[in-house]
Short mmCIF file of all heavy atoms in Angstrom, two decimals:
data_model
loop_
_atom_site.label_atom_id
_atom_site.label_comp_id
_atom_site.label_asym_id
_atom_site.label_seq_id
_atom_site.Cartn_x
_atom_site.Cartn_y
_atom_site.Cartn_z
N GLY O 69 -23.56 -9.52 -0.92
CA GLY O 69 -22.11 -9.91 -1.00
C GLY O 69 -21.26 -9.04 -0.08
O GLY O 69 -21.69 -8.05 0.53
N GLN O 70 -20.07 -9.44 0.01
CA GLN O 70 -18.97 -8.69 0.88
C GLN O 70 -18.22 -7.70 0.02
O GLN O 70 -17.74 -8.11 -1.07
CB GLN O 70 -18.11 -9.74 1.48
CG GLN O 70 -17.01 -9.14 2.39
CD GLN O 70 -15.90 -10.19 2.65
OE1 GLN O 70 -15.40 -10.90 1.80
NE2 GLN O 70 -15.47 -10.21 3.90
N TRP O 71 -18.12 -6.52 0.57
CA TRP O 71 -17.28 -5.57 -0.13
C TRP O 71 -16.15 -5.22 0.84
O TRP O 71 -16.31 -5.16 2.00
CB TRP O 71 -18.09 -4.27 -0.42
CG TRP O 71 -18.90 -4.41 -1.62
CD1 TRP O 71 -20.28 -4.60 -1.77
CD2 TRP O 71 -18.55 -4.20 -2.99
NE1 TRP O 71 -20.81 -4.58 -2.91
CE2 TRP O 71 -19.68 -4.39 -3.77
CE3 TRP O 71 -17.36 -3.90 -3.58
CZ2 TRP O 71 -19.70 -4.29 -5.26
CZ3 TRP O 71 -17.29 -3.86 -5.08
CH2 TRP O 71 -18.46 -4.04 -5.82
N LEU O 72 -14.98 -5.02 0.19
CA LEU O 72 -13.79 -4.54 0.93
C LEU O 72 -13.33 -3.30 0.26
O LEU O 72 -13.46 -3.16 -0.88
CB LEU O 72 -12.74 -5.62 1.02
CG LEU O 72 -13.02 -6.95 1.65
CD1 LEU O 72 -13.39 -8.00 0.55
CD2 LEU O 72 -11.81 -7.51 2.43
N ARG O 73 -12.59 -2.48 1.05
CA ARG O 73 -11.79 -1.41 0.32
C ARG O 73 -10.55 -2.20 -0.16
O ARG O 73 -10.05 -3.09 0.36
CB ARG O 73 -11.31 -0.32 1.32
CG ARG O 73 -12.44 0.62 1.67
CD ARG O 73 -12.76 1.61 0.55
NE ARG O 73 -11.67 2.49 0.36
CZ ARG O 73 -11.58 3.74 0.96
NH1 ARG O 73 -12.58 4.16 1.80
NH2 ARG O 73 -10.51 4.58 0.73
N ALA O 74 -10.10 -1.80 -1.47
CA ALA O 74 -9.00 -2.33 -1.99
C ALA O 74 -8.19 -1.26 -2.70
O ALA O 74 -8.10 -1.09 -3.87
CB ALA O 74 -9.40 -3.42 -3.19
N ASP O 75 -7.57 -0.47 -1.79
CA ASP O 75 -7.01 0.81 -2.26
C ASP O 75 -5.65 0.65 -2.91
O ASP O 75 -4.85 -0.18 -2.44
CB ASP O 75 -6.88 1.79 -1.04
CG ASP O 75 -8.22 2.22 -0.46
OD1 ASP O 75 -9.19 2.35 -1.30
OD2 ASP O 75 -8.41 2.35 0.75
N PRO O 76 -5.40 1.47 -3.88
CA PRO O 76 -4.08 1.37 -4.60
C PRO O 76 -2.92 1.83 -3.67
O PRO O 76 -3.07 2.95 -3.03
CB PRO O 76 -4.28 2.31 -5.74
CG PRO O 76 -5.28 3.31 -5.35
CD PRO O 76 -6.23 2.56 -4.41
N VAL O 77 -1.83 1.19 -3.75
CA VAL O 77 -0.67 1.50 -2.92
C VAL O 77 0.56 1.30 -3.78
O VAL O 77 0.58 0.67 -4.83
CB VAL O 77 -0.66 0.62 -1.65
CG1 VAL O 77 -1.80 0.92 -0.80
CG2 VAL O 77 -0.52 -0.85 -2.01
N HIS O 78 1.64 1.95 -3.23
CA HIS O 78 2.94 1.72 -3.84
C HIS O 78 3.74 0.92 -2.73
O HIS O 78 3.90 1.40 -1.62
CB HIS O 78 3.71 2.99 -4.12
CG HIS O 78 5.18 2.78 -4.48
ND1 HIS O 78 5.46 2.30 -5.76
CD2 HIS O 78 6.33 3.09 -3.84
CE1 HIS O 78 6.82 2.20 -5.79
NE2 HIS O 78 7.33 2.66 -4.65
N LEU O 79 4.29 -0.21 -3.24
CA LEU O 79 5.09 -1.00 -2.26
C LEU O 79 6.62 -0.89 -2.65
O LEU O 79 6.93 -0.99 -3.81
CB LEU O 79 4.73 -2.48 -2.41
CG LEU O 79 3.22 -2.77 -2.04
CD1 LEU O 79 2.82 -4.24 -2.44
CD2 LEU O 79 2.93 -2.57 -0.61
N ARG O 80 7.35 -0.50 -1.60
CA ARG O 80 8.81 -0.35 -1.90
C ARG O 80 9.60 -1.33 -1.05
O ARG O 80 9.57 -1.38 0.06
CB ARG O 80 9.30 1.03 -1.50
CG ARG O 80 10.75 1.31 -1.66
CD ARG O 80 11.03 2.76 -1.34
NE ARG O 80 10.29 3.72 -2.19
CZ ARG O 80 10.26 4.98 -1.93
NH1 ARG O 80 10.76 5.56 -0.84
NH2 ARG O 80 9.55 5.79 -2.80
N ALA O 81 10.28 -2.27 -1.80
CA ALA O 81 11.00 -3.30 -1.14
C ALA O 81 12.42 -2.94 -0.79
O ALA O 81 13.19 -2.27 -1.55
CB ALA O 81 11.12 -4.55 -2.13
N GLY O 82 12.84 -3.13 0.44
CA GLY O 82 14.13 -2.95 1.04
C GLY O 82 14.82 -4.32 1.10
O GLY O 82 14.46 -5.27 0.52
N LEU O 83 15.97 -4.28 1.81
CA LEU O 83 16.73 -5.49 1.95
C LEU O 83 16.01 -6.57 2.74
O LEU O 83 15.96 -7.73 2.41
CB LEU O 83 18.12 -5.20 2.66
CG LEU O 83 19.03 -4.35 1.71
CD1 LEU O 83 20.44 -4.10 2.55
CD2 LEU O 83 19.44 -5.10 0.44
N GLN O 84 15.24 -6.05 3.76
CA GLN O 84 14.50 -7.11 4.64
C GLN O 84 13.09 -6.75 4.88
O GLN O 84 12.35 -7.51 5.44
CB GLN O 84 15.25 -7.15 5.98
CG GLN O 84 16.71 -7.62 5.93
CD GLN O 84 17.42 -7.71 7.24
OE1 GLN O 84 17.08 -6.94 8.16
NE2 GLN O 84 18.34 -8.74 7.41
N HIS O 85 12.62 -5.57 4.47
CA HIS O 85 11.31 -5.13 4.71
C HIS O 85 10.76 -4.50 3.48
O HIS O 85 11.36 -4.11 2.54
CB HIS O 85 11.32 -4.15 5.85
CG HIS O 85 11.82 -4.65 7.15
ND1 HIS O 85 11.15 -5.52 7.95
CD2 HIS O 85 13.04 -4.43 7.75
CE1 HIS O 85 11.89 -5.83 9.07
NE2 HIS O 85 13.01 -5.11 8.94
N VAL O 86 9.39 -4.42 3.50
CA VAL O 86 8.58 -3.76 2.47
C VAL O 86 7.77 -2.56 3.12
O VAL O 86 7.18 -2.83 4.15
CB VAL O 86 7.59 -4.69 1.85
CG1 VAL O 86 6.70 -3.94 0.79
CG2 VAL O 86 8.33 -5.78 1.09
N THR O 87 7.93 -1.37 2.53
CA THR O 87 7.29 -0.31 3.06
C THR O 87 6.10 0.05 2.13
O THR O 87 6.21 -0.02 0.87
CB THR O 87 8.20 0.98 3.15
OG1 THR O 87 9.31 0.64 3.93
CG2 THR O 87 7.50 2.20 3.82
N MET O 88 4.91 0.39 2.67
CA MET O 88 3.72 0.75 1.88
C MET O 88 3.37 2.22 1.91
O MET O 88 3.36 2.76 2.97
CB MET O 88 2.57 -0.16 2.35
CG MET O 88 1.36 0.04 1.48
SD MET O 88 0.08 -1.20 1.92
CE MET O 88 -0.31 -0.74 3.55
N PHE O 89 3.11 2.76 0.81
CA PHE O 89 2.72 4.14 0.67
C PHE O 89 1.29 4.37 0.08
O PHE O 89 0.90 3.57 -0.92
CB PHE O 89 3.66 4.97 -0.13
CG PHE O 89 5.11 4.90 0.38
CD1 PHE O 89 6.04 4.02 0.02
CD2 PHE O 89 5.49 5.91 1.25
CE1 PHE O 89 7.29 3.95 0.52
CE2 PHE O 89 6.78 5.92 1.86
CZ PHE O 89 7.63 4.94 1.42
N ASP O 90 0.50 5.14 0.70
CA ASP O 90 -0.86 5.34 0.12
C ASP O 90 -0.93 6.64 -0.73
O ASP O 90 0.15 7.16 -1.14
CB ASP O 90 -1.86 5.44 1.20
CG ASP O 90 -1.64 6.56 2.18
OD1 ASP O 90 -0.78 7.44 1.95
OD2 ASP O 90 -2.32 6.73 3.15
N GLY O 91 -2.09 7.18 -1.07
CA GLY O 91 -2.27 8.18 -1.96
C GLY O 91 -1.61 9.51 -1.48
O GLY O 91 -1.62 10.45 -2.20
N ARG O 92 -1.33 9.62 -0.25
CA ARG O 92 -0.61 10.87 0.25
C ARG O 92 0.87 10.99 -0.37
O ARG O 92 1.38 12.07 -0.39
CB ARG O 92 -0.48 10.85 1.79
CG ARG O 92 -1.82 11.01 2.51
CD ARG O 92 -1.64 10.79 4.00
NE ARG O 92 -1.29 9.37 4.24
CZ ARG O 92 -1.19 8.82 5.44
NH1 ARG O 92 -1.28 9.64 6.51
NH2 ARG O 92 -0.82 7.54 5.62
N ALA O 93 1.31 9.85 -0.98
CA ALA O 93 2.69 9.83 -1.49
C ALA O 93 2.68 9.99 -3.00
O ALA O 93 3.75 10.14 -3.62
CB ALA O 93 3.43 8.62 -1.06
N PHE O 94 1.52 9.87 -3.60
CA PHE O 94 1.45 9.88 -5.14
C PHE O 94 0.09 10.42 -5.53
O PHE O 94 -0.85 10.40 -4.83
CB PHE O 94 1.67 8.51 -5.69
CG PHE O 94 0.70 7.43 -5.20
CD1 PHE O 94 -0.55 7.28 -5.69
CD2 PHE O 94 1.17 6.49 -4.18
CE1 PHE O 94 -1.42 6.34 -5.24
CE2 PHE O 94 0.26 5.53 -3.74
CZ PHE O 94 -1.04 5.40 -4.16
#
């Protein structure tokens, strides 16, 4: 079967964009 990384992230929504943070931020 197929494996993918599915890493936990924090998504921060702005007015028009979404910024994504990885484990360096939490």
Side-chain angles (χ1 to χ4, degrees):
Q70 179 195 43
W71 282 99
L72 302 96
R73 286 286 290 267
D75 293 325
V77 297
H78 172 72
L79 302 171
R80 180 176 298 167
L83 292 177
Q84 296 180 329
H85 299 284
V86 175
T87 306
M88 182 169 65
F89 298 92
D90 64 4
R92 292 171 294 182
F94 56 79

